[in-house]
């Protein structure tokens, strides 16, 4: 594979920083056919066809598109800077993200890749990269049936796992609160035998599952080998939660008795 080196565009990574946003340093090129090769992308970069992120935008937003997009970023490091880093897109819903890095095999990632087959064990789309002291260009090929947004960041390997630990802690505190609410209402149902509490417990469970699926944790802990189910899990759970929420409202407000027309509408 041949890679463009584009030293004039290279971002030099140096300590003490251990995390960099690359969203303003990337360049992109639209492949309307979806069939362009790495060689075609390299030629397009050398010909100046790659575009910078539009002025005033902190993140490259491409919206709904049938095209594939090639993203390039040129990086190097100072001699005293760590070599091992993680290139991450902290955004869910991208079907396919491929990384072309010099001296490495093609790395595939995306929502349709099972967690066990991803290059980095993460709820987001991440790739390991070894930076050289000489400027090197990395290419990402992105395609999706969902809106494409590309916040790209580079995180030193150790810092990456530290950040994941803290993110997991705060997320699980939130889900712990939901679990407490679920258990509390189940206990009330057992003691009082009022079906409103079991309905609300079901609403809490479905809502929690929808959020758990939507932020990528369910794909890691519950169905890591079912990417196609994961793609629809959030709307399924949220739709069910909405239906149960309506049922709870009719019971709690006693609409059958006091608001019969509203009850029929619900």
């Amino acid at each position: 594979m041949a890679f463009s080196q584009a030293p004039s565009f290279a971002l030099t990574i140096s300590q003490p920083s251990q995390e960099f946003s690359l969203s303003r340093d990337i360049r992109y090129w639209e492949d309307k056919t979806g069939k362009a090769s790495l060689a075609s992308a390299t030629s397009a970069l050398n010909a100046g066809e790659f575009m910078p992120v539009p002025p005033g935008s902190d993140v490259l937003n491409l919206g709904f598109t049938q095209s594939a997009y090639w993203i390039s970023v040129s990086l190097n490091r100072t001699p005293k800077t760590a070599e091992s880093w993680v290139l991450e897109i902290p955004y869910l819903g991208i079907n396919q993200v491929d990384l072309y890095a010099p001296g490495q095999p093609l790395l595939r990632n995306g929502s349709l890749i099972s967690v066990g087959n991803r290059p980095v064990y993460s709820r987001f789309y991440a790739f390991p990269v070894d930076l050289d002291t000489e400027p090197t260009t990395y290419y990402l090929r992105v395609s999706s049936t969902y809106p494409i947004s590309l916040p790209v960041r580079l995180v030193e390997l150790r810092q990456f796992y530290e950040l994941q630990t803290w993110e997991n802690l705060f997320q699980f505190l939130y889900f712990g609160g939901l679990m407490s609410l679920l258990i509390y209402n189940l206990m009330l149902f057992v003691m009082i035998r009022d079906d409103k509490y079991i309905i609300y417990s079901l609403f809490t469970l479905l809502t929690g599952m929808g959020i758990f699926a939507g932020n990528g944790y369910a794909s890691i802990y519950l169905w890591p080998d079912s990417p196609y189910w994961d793609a629809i899990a959030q709307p399924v759970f949220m739709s069910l939660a909405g239906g149960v929420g309506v049922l709870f409202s009719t019971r709690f407000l006693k609409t059958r008795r006091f608001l019969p027309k509203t009850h029929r509408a619900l």
Side-chain angles (χ1 to χ4, degrees):
M1 295 182 181
F3 285 80
S4 169
Q5 296 301 315
S8 61
F9 298 151
L11 173 66
T12 300
I13 305 301
S14 60
Q15 292 179 339
S17 297
Q18 295 177 303
E19 179 182 356
F20 296 86
S21 171
L22 303 181
S23 296
R24 295 289 303 163
D25 299 286
I26 62 176
R27 284 170 165 73
Y28 69 98
W29 175 63
E30 183 179 7
D31 170 21
K32 294 182 179 180
T33 68
K35 299 179 180 179
S37 64
L38 174 62
S40 300
T42 301
S43 298
L45 180 65
N46 292 332
E49 296 179 16
F50 274 64
M51 302 294 294
V53 176
S57 300
D58 294 327
V59 175
L60 178 60
N61 292 302
L62 302 171
F64 285 101
T65 175
Q66 294 182 344
S67 301
Y69 279 85
W70 288 79
I71 311 300
S72 73
V73 61
S74 296
L75 304 169
N76 69 306
R77 63 178 176 87
T78 58
K80 295 184 179 180
T81 300
E83 179 180 357
S84 299
W85 294 73
V86 174
L87 186 66
E88 182 187 39
I89 300 175
Y91 175 80
L92 296 170
I94 300 176
N95 292 150
Q96 183 176 349
V97 188
D98 298 336
L99 175 69
Y100 295 82
Q104 296 183 20
L106 171 64
L107 298 179
R108 297 189 180 278
N109 212 326
S111 64
L112 299 183
I113 304 296
S114 62
V115 173
N117 292 324
R118 294 179 184 177
V120 175
Y121 187 78
S122 172
R123 64 191 178 107
F124 293 128
Y125 313 128
F127 302 90
V129 294
D130 294 329
L131 299 186
D132 197 351
T133 53
E134 296 297 323
T136 303
T137 300
Y138 299 86
Y139 292 88
L140 291 166
R141 182 187 181 277
V142 181
S143 62
S144 184
T145 56
Y146 297 95
I148 297 177
S149 182
L150 292 172
V152 183
R153 67 178 182 177
L154 185 71
V155 189
E156 191 270 327
L157 184 62
R158 178 183 175 87
Q159 179 75 3
F160 174 78
Y161 287 110
E162 289 181 0
L163 288 173
Q164 282 212 130
T165 300
W166 283 106
E167 288 176 1
N168 291 343
L169 173 63
F170 290 122
Q171 288 284 343
F172 292 146
L173 285 174
Y174 171 77
F175 286 107
L178 278 182
M179 184 66 70
S180 299
L181 184 63
L182 172 62
I183 294 173
Y184 174 73
N185 281 279
L186 285 175
M187 292 177 63
L188 287 177
F189 169 71
V190 170
M191 291 185 292
I192 303 176
R193 296 296 178 179
D194 187 334
D195 63 357
K196 290 193 295 291
Y197 292 105
I198 193 66
I199 295 173
Y200 188 73
S201 296
L202 183 58
F203 172 77
T204 303
L205 175 63
L206 292 170
T207 302
M209 288 296 296
I211 298 172
F212 202 59
N215 62 19
Y217 282 103
S219 66
I220 294 178
Y221 297 109
L222 299 181
W223 44 77
D225 299 318
S226 303
Y228 290 96
W229 159 244
D230 185 63
I232 63 171
Q234 182 185 28
V236 168
F237 283 119
M238 286 302 189
S239 297
L240 292 172
V244 173
V246 172
L247 178 61
F248 174 76
S249 298
T250 61
R251 296 297 181 90
F252 184 77
L253 299 176
K254 299 180 180 178
T255 55
R256 184 188 296 274
R257 177 180 176 185
F258 297 108
L259 300 167
K261 292 182 179 180
T262 301
H263 181 81
R264 284 194 296 272
L266 290 173

